[in-house]
Amino acid sequence: RLWKLCARVDMRRAEAGDKLFRMLVESMHGTQNEASRDIGRDLPRTFPEVPEICGAEGQARMRRVLEAYSQHNPAVGYSQGMNFIAGVLLIHIPSEEEAFYALDAIVKDLIPGGLSRSLVGFRTSVLVLGDLVKTCLPQLWLEMEGLDAPADEVLGLLCPHWFISFFCNAFPLALVFEFWDAVFLDGPAALFQLALAILDSFEAKQQRDTAGAEFPGMAADYVAQVLTFSRKASASDCEDILARRSALARTLTEDKIAAVWGPNEGRALEERRREEESRAVVTALRRAELRLAERLLRALEEIGARIHEIHQGAPRHGE
């Protein structure tokens, strides 16, 4: 009930109209498009150990919610990770229609910057988290700078599990439910607080369990170790993460995160603009190469035809 209240499910349904979800489901019945094919591929991989989800009826319920949402929000459509979010929602919210509106709240209001095909919000989140690690966990940042890849890139490998999949495929489900409680109650700021708490808790556990061991030198090793810690996290690990998150929340407020967000959003937009320009240049070069190749082929064909004409018109030996 907490998630439904925080997601303002009843208000969203009242604003959209009682018939919207049913109409969206009916419009997708029997339809095959890119979204429905992607959803179909991801459903068997979604919580295969959870009976309410892995069975035929559970997958049918997820399909209806996800396909309806891909129609409702075509700017986002369907992206990997949404299947896990829908699965967790349906475990706790039996009504498909209410799960649909809760998914809308997560995509638009709780994922920092919202979910979009451009991934500008995601890139901004990675940059913001990097700045927060520098200020809140400076020793960890110094160690991360010693990795064989830039620290922002390393965080970029971890953040999809937190900011796109909403922790669903990164932690045991019991812990995911605890994290979701915090995010639904306190909004996107809690995602950043939890991400910092996970990194801090992992670092503390490494120091306890492997005293004297050096920080990994390879980025891939560090990412693998953090993800292994997450997926095998125990109840005590969860308590530690939530305690560290609570401590961070006292000083790392929503306003402070917003102050860091603005400049980094501008940086992410500029990166996106440069990427689009680079793609446009590459596309133009490929088209120019194709036109040049076509002209060369025509020229070679003309030369071949001319040589053939010359041979046809030349007197034969002995004539």
Side-chain angles (χ1 to χ4, degrees), residues 93-122:
I93 303 175
S95 165
E96 294 172 26
E97 183 179 23
E98 291 177 341
F100 165 84
Y101 285 111
L103 175 62
D104 188 51
I106 291 172
V107 170
K108 292 179 179 176
D109 299 338
L110 296 180
I111 292 177
L115 193 61
S116 67
R117 293 182 188 273
S118 70
L119 294 179
V120 169
F122 171 73

